[in-house]
Amino acid sequence: MNRHPFEPGKLIAGLVVLAAGLLYALDAAGEADLPPFAPLPPLVAGLCLAGLVSALTFGARMRRARRAERGRARGRAAWEERGERGEREGREGREER
């Protein structure tokens, strides 16, 4: 099985929908006496929270990716600079001979 990144927003959404389903199941079994609309406000609030967490997770991952790319770009620039300096020093050494 392939590995995939952890998605906390999906976890929260799943738990919220599971809780709402559990409340409806308890009502259907006669264990709880809830009006039909009672689980809807917490469900909407929970899904909004899941959306917010997903957006924050996405932003953090994009920021981390940009920082990593900048680090790789700096490393490439430093590597290329070292290579050019080495070529110049090699040419200068050959010219002196």
Side-chain angles (χ1 to χ4, degrees), residues 12-26 34 39 42-43:
I12 291 172
L15 291 175
V16 167
V17 171
L18 186 67
L22 182 64
L23 285 175
Y24 279 122
L26 287 174
L34 298 172
L43 179 69

Side-chain angles (χ1 to χ4, degrees), residues 60-79:
R61 287 188 177 148
M62 290 299 108
R63 182 176 180 193
R64 186 178 307 139
R66 281 193 307 265
R67 289 177 72 189
E69 182 58 35
R70 278 192 304 233
R72 284 191 293 269
R74 284 188 195 128
R76 277 193 301 266
W79 181 260

Side-chain angles (χ1 to χ4, degrees), residues 5-63:
F6 176 62
E7 299 281 343
K10 289 181 181 181
L11 175 66
I12 291 172
L15 291 175
V16 167
V17 171
L18 186 67
L22 182 64
L23 285 175
Y24 279 122
L26 287 174
D27 186 40
E31 297 295 323
D33 188 27
L34 298 172
F37 61 85
L40 292 179
L43 179 69
V44 170
L47 292 178
C48 287
L49 176 66
L52 177 65
V53 169
S54 291
L56 291 174
T57 302
F58 178 76
R61 287 188 177 148
M62 290 299 108
R63 182 176 180 193

